[in-house]
Amino acid sequence: MRINLFSKWNLDALGIGASLICAVHCVLLPLLIAGLPLLGLEVLENEKLEYALLGFSFLVGYSALFRGYRKHHRHARPLVLFSFGYVALLAGHFLAPESWEPFVIIFGAGLIVWAHLQNLKECKSCKVCQHGPSNDHL
């Protein structure tokens, strides 16, 4: 009996969590950056951690949304929202002026959260899935 690990997880909830963690990390970093060296903590300023959070957010988000699209509802809106949100996150990290960075990142994370919420809504109202229980429901 093969157990599909991804079908047991609520990837939308995980994606929302990853997006929020990334946004909180990026917003709090400028506030905490002055005090962290005094405490010997530099983990929040770690560039590798930022890349890991961005990568994790993309992998989980895209997996959840594509799975919802392919197996359940066939609506592209969540994928489009996610794409714009992720581009905004990348722009906030790499292109935005420092004074705009938190706002662009919060906007991008908000779009990603909205994409996951739309995906959950579409999956719950899916006509294909309403005909009977499914083991690989989100």
Side-chain angles (χ1 to χ4, degrees), residues 48-62:
K48 290 178 185 176
L49 176 64
E50 289 189 30
Y51 294 142
L53 285 172
L54 285 170
F56 180 71
S57 176
F58 178 79
L59 288 175
V60 170
Y62 184 78

Side-chain angles (χ1 to χ4, degrees), residues 70-131:
R70 186 173 50 90
K71 288 189 174 188
H72 299 286
H73 53 74
R74 298 282 188 197
H75 292 145
R77 183 181 334 160
L79 286 167
V80 171
L81 287 170
F82 176 80
S83 298
F84 282 118
Y86 197 75
V87 167
L89 276 180
L90 293 176
H93 278 282
F94 302 113
L95 300 175
E98 194 171 323
S99 61
W100 282 74
E101 182 179 351
F103 302 108
V104 175
I105 288 171
I106 289 172
F107 176 73
L111 285 177
I112 290 173
V113 169
W114 186 18
H116 285 290
L117 293 173
Q118 284 291 308
N119 193 50
L120 286 170
K121 178 184 170 190
E122 296 292 347
C123 286
K124 287 181 180 182
S125 67
C126 175
K127 295 191 185 327
V128 173
C129 301
Q130 290 176 357
H131 296 296

Side-chain angles (χ1 to χ4, degrees), residues 25 29 33 36 41-53 93:
H25 163 80
L29 181 62
I33 207 163
L36 288 177
L41 300 173
E42 296 177 3
V43 69
L44 291 177
E45 195 178 352
N46 189 336
E47 198 170 298
K48 290 178 185 176
L49 176 64
E50 289 189 30
Y51 294 142
L53 285 172
H93 278 282

